[in-house]
């Protein structure tokens, strides 16, 4: 795939970029490795100060940064500015405020007679991030910010269709005052990442992307005994029980499915609705689709944006058409929006999807919702869990006890009750099953790529007593 800006709104190539050479990559790795030698010894207070600067750079130039996701992957400008830029600034601020606390040594044992056991947290070195296009800033910040606070340095390979976003992030770190080599962008295609993964100076890899890409990276990283964190997408269930607030559930479901044109890993994709309220919910959900009118993504009032590319649209449409051929019912949408040059796909609803259909086990990364009817709570849980994915999930109910009971049974890394799946700096992010492993954000996110070093101190007199006891035992045997 060429490294270029192909505007999904116009379907025109606006800018192309040369891929970095092997020599350029070697220079970048060397600089990141050298930067780590000093960055790891920079005080946590100083690192946090620079991270506060980064949050300021994001907020003060929000309009400037927000335009790049619009022209490169079709995101609505208001979603780019009001949500993505904002959450990135929140992440930077959160770790700037909590970094010192999170990295403080943890005392596990302290006793006059037995001594102390302390766990220290040390950086491990250069980390390599491989990130997708759907949230071109947030995906990076979720990985890079906590690890830079921890004292690691970052090399980042972004998706080939968002090169200007990738370059923009490197500019953000520079403007915030971070030393050269602490954060570096590399313009390389996916097939040319092996040089970085295999390099002994690179100590860990974080990937957000497809199962196929994850398996290849994990295999290569495992060959070189390197720690990996994976976020590999999901087919997240939206479980609505029969006592849920109807209108609110419709609102939450629409937001959870069609935000970012449905191109979200933690989007609600499978709607598991209790049979008592299924027909009403489907009718209201379908009726609300009329608000998604296509328009210029740069216009603040626009409600519906194109998909990221024609390739993504054609792949999604292929899944939809195959499902219809196999017997799924098309409730709404189901085709490209005619008369527009970009990657526009109608908001789509499918029902009557059965286990023998291909789409039953596939992730739909776009504006397509699949509806399932559940007989009761147990049936809803069974349907929700019948997936190889386990990233996020949603439960809608007015009864807290009932909602908690269902939530605890869902096989997912995250469950949200009475709200869409969201991301927050203080909330751990990650999945189970084929959705990956490891956690990002919160305190857990800063501990994935650190050396949790045990320091054990035992009083000399106490250890001498132990030695003398052993000597006496040997002498009397």
């Amino acid at each position: 795939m060429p490294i270029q800006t192909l505007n999904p709104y116009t379907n025109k190539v606006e800018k192309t970029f040369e891929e970095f050479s092997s020599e350029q990559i070697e220079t970048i790795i060397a600089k990141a490795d050298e930067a780590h030698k000093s960055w790891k010894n920079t005080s946590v207070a100083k690192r946090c100060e620079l991270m506060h600067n980064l949050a300021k750079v994001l907020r003060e130039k929000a309009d400037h940064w927000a335009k790049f996701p619009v022209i490169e992957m079709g995101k609505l400008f208001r979603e780019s500015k009001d949500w993505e830029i904002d959450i990135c600034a929140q992440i930077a601020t959160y770790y700037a405020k909590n970094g010192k606390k999170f990295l403080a040594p943890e005392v596990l044992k302290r006793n006059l007679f037995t001594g102390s056991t302390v766990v220290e947290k040390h950086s491990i070195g250069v980390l390599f991030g491989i990130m997708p296009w759907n949230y071109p800033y947030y995906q990076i910040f979720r990985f890079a910010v906590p690890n830079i606070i921890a004292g690691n340095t970052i090399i980042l390979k972004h998706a080939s269709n968002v090169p200007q976003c990738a370059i923009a992030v490197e500019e953000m770190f520079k403007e915030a005052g971070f030393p050269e080599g602490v954060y570096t962008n590399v313009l390389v295609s996916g097939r040319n990442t092996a040089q970085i993964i295999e390099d002994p100076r690179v100590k860990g890899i974080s990937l957000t992307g497809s199962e196929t890409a994850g398996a290849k990276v994990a295999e290569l990283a495992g060959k070189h005994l390197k720690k990996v964190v994976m976020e590999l997408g999901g087919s997240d269930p939206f479980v609505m029980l029969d006592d849920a607030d109807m209108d609110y559930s419709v609102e939450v479901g629409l937001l959870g499915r069609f935000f970012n044109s449905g191109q979200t890993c933690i989007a609600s994709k499978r709607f598991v609705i209790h049979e008592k309220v299924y027909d009403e919910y489907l009718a209201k959900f379908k009726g609300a689709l009329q608000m998604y009118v296509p328009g210029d993504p740069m216009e603040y009032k626009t409600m519906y944006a194109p998909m990221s590319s024609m390739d993504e649209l054609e792949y999604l449409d292929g899944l939809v058409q195959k499902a219809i051929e196999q017997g799924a019912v098309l409730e709404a949408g189901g085709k490209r929006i005619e008369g527009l040059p970009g990657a526009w796909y109608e908001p789509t609803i499918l029902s009557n999807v059965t286990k023998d259909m291909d789409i039953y086990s596939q992730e739909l990364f776009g504006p397509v919702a699949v509806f399932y009817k559940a007989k009761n709570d147990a049936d809803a849980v069974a349907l929700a869990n019948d997936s190889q994915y386990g990233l996020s999930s949603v439960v809608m109910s007015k009864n807290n006890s009932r909602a908690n009971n269902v939530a605890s049974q869902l096989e997912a890394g995250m469950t949200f009750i009475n709200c869409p799946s969201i991301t927050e700096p203080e909330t751990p992010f990650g999945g189970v099953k084929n959705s990956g492993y490891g956690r990002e954000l919160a305190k857990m996110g800063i501990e994935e790529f650190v050396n949790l070093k045990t320091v054990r101190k035992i009083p000399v007199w106490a250890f001498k007593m132990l030695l003398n006891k052993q000597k006496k035992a040997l002498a009397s045997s």
Side-chain angles (χ1 to χ4, degrees):
M1 182 179 181
I3 299 175
Q4 63 182 19
T5 298
L6 195 164
N7 192 324
Y9 177 55
T10 63
N11 206 31
K12 293 181 180 179
V13 175
E14 296 192 359
K15 202 168 185 178
T16 59
F17 297 81
E18 289 293 324
E19 186 166 352
F20 284 11
S21 67
S22 178
E23 291 75 19
Q24 287 175 297
I25 294 171
E26 163 58 30
T27 298
I28 286 169
I29 296 173
K31 285 184 178 179
D33 183 52
E34 190 63 29
H36 175 250
K37 294 174 183 177
S38 57
W39 185 245
K40 68 179 181 180
N41 293 318
T42 301
S43 70
V44 177
K46 180 61 178 179
R47 296 178 212 161
C48 293
E49 177 188 331
L50 293 175
M51 202 57 74
H52 273 301
N53 290 350
L54 181 61
K56 185 178 179 180
V57 167
L58 279 159
R59 291 188 170 107
E60 289 184 348
K61 297 178 62 176
D63 284 353
H64 171 72
W65 307 122
K67 68 182 181 182
F68 295 113
V70 180
I71 64 175
E72 292 202 305
M73 52 75 57
K75 190 184 296 287
L76 293 177
F77 179 80
R78 60 183 175 83
E79 289 183 0
S80 182
K81 180 183 177 182
D82 295 350
W83 187 86
E84 188 156 8
I85 298 298
D86 183 65
I87 190 64
C88 289
Q90 287 183 44
I91 292 170
T93 300
Y94 173 78
Y95 283 103
K97 289 181 176 179
N98 292 285
K100 189 173 182 180
K101 177 178 66 176
F102 289 162
L103 295 172
E106 292 187 24
V107 179
L108 302 184
K109 179 190 293 186
R110 179 167 288 166
N111 186 282
L112 176 64
F113 300 102
T114 61
S116 65
T117 301
V118 176
V119 176
E120 298 178 348
K121 299 168 187 178
H122 300 277
S123 64
I124 62 172
V126 181
L127 306 179
F128 181 40
I130 303 171
M131 296 296 144
W133 48 262
N134 61 327
Y135 289 96
Y137 295 148
Y138 160 71
Q139 302 281 15
I140 295 176
F141 273 67
R142 194 177 70 199
F143 157 65
V145 168
N147 285 300
I148 287 174
I149 285 286
N152 296 308
T153 57
I154 303 295
I155 297 173
L156 198 291
K157 175 247 176 299
H158 219 326
S160 295
N161 62 326
V162 288
Q164 293 190 70
C165 292
I167 293 168
V169 174
E170 187 172 28
E171 291 174 354
M172 294 173 193
F173 277 93
K174 287 181 179 177
E175 289 189 24
F178 285 87
E180 184 179 11
V182 170
Y183 179 92
T184 313
N185 173 62
V186 287
L187 294 177
V188 294
S189 59
R191 65 180 180 272
N192 290 327
T193 57
Q195 178 185 348
I196 304 173
I197 296 172
E198 293 173 343
D199 194 289
R201 293 166 292 186
V202 175
K203 304 302 182 183
I205 298 95
S206 179
L207 178 141
T208 297
S210 68
E211 288 178 82
T212 301
K216 290 179 180 177
V217 168
E219 180 181 11
L220 187 56
K223 180 180 177 182
H224 295 274
L225 302 177
K226 297 187 180 183
K227 172 73 180 286
V228 179
V229 168
M230 295 275 175
E231 195 272 274
L232 305 178
S235 187
D236 297 354
F238 177 99
V239 179
M240 181 183 176
L241 307 183
D242 59 335
D243 65 345
D245 183 310
M246 176 61 68
D247 291 339
Y248 178 67
S249 295
V250 171
E251 186 176 3
V252 170
L254 290 166
L255 181 61
R257 175 64 284 199
F258 296 111
F259 190 82
N260 203 41
S261 296
Q263 300 165 126
T264 304
C265 298
I266 59 172
S268 294
K269 302 179 177 79
R270 296 179 296 131
F271 286 75
V272 181
I273 312 299
H274 194 287
E275 63 181 7
K276 291 182 180 178
V277 295
Y278 178 90
D279 290 339
E280 182 183 0
Y281 186 81
L282 175 57
K284 289 192 172 185
F285 192 96
K286 187 190 304 184
L289 297 185
Q290 62 185 343
M291 71 177 176
Y292 293 112
V293 179
D296 184 347
M298 284 297 295
E299 294 292 332
Y300 202 84
K301 63 182 180 180
T302 300
M303 289 295 294
Y304 196 60
M307 293 183 65
S308 67
S309 69
M310 284 302 301
D311 286 345
E312 293 289 334
L313 182 151
E314 289 168 2
Y315 176 74
L316 180 70
D317 185 57
L319 298 180
V320 170
Q321 300 311 319
K322 181 69 172 179
I324 295 170
E325 290 175 15
Q326 293 179 329
V329 173
L330 180 65
E331 301 282 356
K335 63 181 184 297
R336 182 183 175 188
I337 298 175
E338 300 296 335
L340 298 173
W344 296 93
Y345 199 74
E346 293 181 338
T348 297
I349 303 173
L350 293 172
S351 66
N352 198 42
V353 170
T354 57
K355 196 168 185 175
D356 59 329
M357 298 179 188
D358 294 349
I359 204 170
Y360 186 86
S361 59
Q362 294 168 323
E363 178 182 16
L364 296 172
F365 209 68
V368 179
V370 181
F371 273 62
Y372 298 87
K373 187 182 295 185
K375 297 176 182 178
N376 49 45
D377 291 10
D379 189 37
V381 170
L383 279 167
N385 287 341
D386 192 16
S387 171
Q388 71 267 35
Y389 297 104
L391 186 54
S392 191
S393 53
V394 170
V395 177
M396 304 296 293
S397 173
K398 291 179 180 177
N399 186 312
N400 286 334
S401 178
R402 189 179 176 193
N404 287 335
N405 181 55
V406 170
S408 68
Q409 297 179 68
L410 297 180
E411 297 168 356
M414 302 169 282
T415 298
F416 295 83
I417 296 176
N418 290 327
C419 71
S421 294
I422 58 175
T423 186
E424 303 162 301
E426 65 275 15
T427 303
F429 187 102
V432 295
K433 300 197 280 191
N434 285 19
S435 289
Y437 46 83
R439 290 295 180 269
E440 295 176 306
L441 298 178
K443 184 183 178 183
M444 293 180 185
I446 208 170
E447 294 183 341
E448 285 286 355
F449 292 103
V450 296
N451 174 17
L452 297 172
K453 181 179 180 179
T454 301
V455 178
R456 179 76 168 100
K457 297 179 183 178
I458 300 175
V460 174
W461 64 265
F463 203 73
K464 282 183 177 180
M465 285 180 61
L466 178 61
L467 290 174
N468 289 333
K469 183 179 180 180
Q470 290 178 339
K471 289 176 182 178
K472 289 179 181 179
L474 286 171
S476 62
S477 63

